[in-house]
Each structure stands twice: as structure tokens, then as C-alpha cells.
Amino acid sequence: MFFTDDTGEALRAAVLLANTAETTDTLTTQDDVGTFLEQHPYTGRIDRDDAELDALRDLRSRLRTMLLAPRDEMVDRVNDALSEVPLSPRLTRHDDVDWHLHAVADDRPLPERILVETAMALIDVIRADEVGRLGVCADDDCEAIVLDLSRNHSRRYCSTTCANRNAVAAYRARRAAP
């Protein structure tokens, strides 16, 4: 199952944002927010102030809980998120992105828009019964979220760093075996 581009992008952004809280916190400054926004551009209001940074930092644990919830619990969390923010759904296109849905007005705070875009993306995940596309990294020393958008559901690691570390460990174990 392939999701629409906006669903995949919202999921990738949510996973990246949630994972900034893992091991070493990588969302502590405005520059860190800028780096996140370079990777996952959002249209609309971006305040670039400490209140927004704090709200983004606070959002991370909620995103993690939403993304890793079992399907029925995910439904509850999505419904909660959608009920908290004033919605104004509309089709839009901008930059190089064709028609897609924005569910929140552009003047709403960035953390609210990320929350609702994540909820909207999870609606597609729930409806397609693809909750298994989200999980925790298979590396024993990593708790980051993995988003598997591969055709064969084969992604197990959050990054090439974790994948390489495990491949090297497996290689060394095979070489050490009699």
C-alpha cells in the first residue's frame, strides 16, 4: 500500500520530530527548528520564537504515543487531536505540490498544524490497516520510531547508522563462529 505524497510527508515529518527527543535531544534551538523545517517545509505561520520551540518540544511525546499506538487506540488519539484544534479543511496546492488537503488554517500555530497533519495522515494508516508501518527501531540500543514505506515491509531500523551497526555486529558474529 502506498500512501499519497502528503500522507507520506506528514508521517515522515512526525517521525523525525518525535525522534528528535531520542538519546540526544536534537531540538533545543531555533537553528534546530530551522533544520527540521528545511527537511519538512510547512506553509503558513511560523513564529520562530521560544514559545513555538517549547510547544514543538512538548508535542514530540504526544506524536510518539500517537504513532506507536495500537490501531484502536490510535483511532482514539487521532479523534482527540482532531477535536482539540479548530479545523478548516480545504484543498490547496503550492510550490511543487499538487492538490492536497490542509485541515487547519495557515494562521494556526505550527505545532497545532503538525498535530492535525499527523492525525490526518494516521487516518489513512488506520483505514488501510497499515499500523504495522510504524514501529520502534530493531537496534537494541535505540528507541527511535521507524516508518516503513517500503513495498515489502522490510524496514527495521530508524537510520542507516543503526542498520550498519547491526550488519557489522552480525558479520562479526558470523566470522567469530567456528
Side-chain angles (χ1 to χ4, degrees):
M1 167 86 201
F2 287 103
F3 298 112
T4 59
D5 291 340
D6 56 326
T7 295
E9 179 58 26
L11 291 170
R12 282 188 289 274
V15 166
L16 178 64
L17 184 58
N19 283 346
T20 63
E22 293 306 312
T23 312
T24 303
D25 192 333
T26 57
L27 188 70
T28 60
T29 67
Q30 291 300 328
D31 287 342
D32 296 337
V33 174
T35 299
F36 169 75
L37 291 172
E38 285 173 15
Q39 293 176 299
H40 300 283
Y42 279 83
T43 58
R45 174 180 162 190
I46 299 175
D47 297 335
R48 298 189 191 278
D49 61 15
D50 289 340
E52 183 177 76
L53 173 61
D54 291 343
L56 287 170
R57 289 173 53 81
D58 291 344
L59 179 60
R60 298 178 301 180
S61 63
R62 184 168 187 191
L63 291 177
R64 180 179 179 83
T65 302
M66 284 176 70
L67 292 164
L68 295 177
R71 188 173 186 224
D72 289 350
E73 186 180 322
M74 187 182 283
V75 169
D76 293 337
R77 294 184 183 283
V78 165
N79 286 335
D80 288 346
L82 294 175
S83 70
E84 291 173 22
V85 178
L87 302 178
S88 57
R90 69 206 178 283
L91 285 170
T92 186
R93 70 176 163 198
H94 48 81
D95 306 320
D96 293 332
V97 182
D98 201 7
W99 291 109
H100 59 283
L101 182 67
H102 280 202
V104 179
D106 288 342
D107 63 348
R108 298 301 302 172
L110 178 61
E112 283 185 9
R113 288 183 288 129
I114 292 172
L115 175 65
V116 171
E117 285 195 22
T118 303
M120 296 295 291
L122 289 174
I123 289 170
D124 289 346
V125 171
I126 293 163
R127 289 173 33 154
D129 197 12
E130 291 285 352
V131 174
R133 297 278 184 178
L134 295 152
V136 176
C137 183
D139 185 308
D140 292 338
D141 297 326
C142 183
E143 291 295 317
I145 299 171
V146 175
L147 172 62
D148 181 3
L149 296 179
S150 67
R151 283 187 177 179
N152 62 357
H153 295 257
S154 62
R155 185 156 183 198
R156 298 176 41 223
Y157 299 101
C158 66
S159 67
T160 53
T161 301
C162 286
N164 288 342
R165 180 175 35 248
N166 281 269
V168 168
Y171 171 77
R172 289 180 179 157
R174 285 191 308 272
R175 296 281 295 183

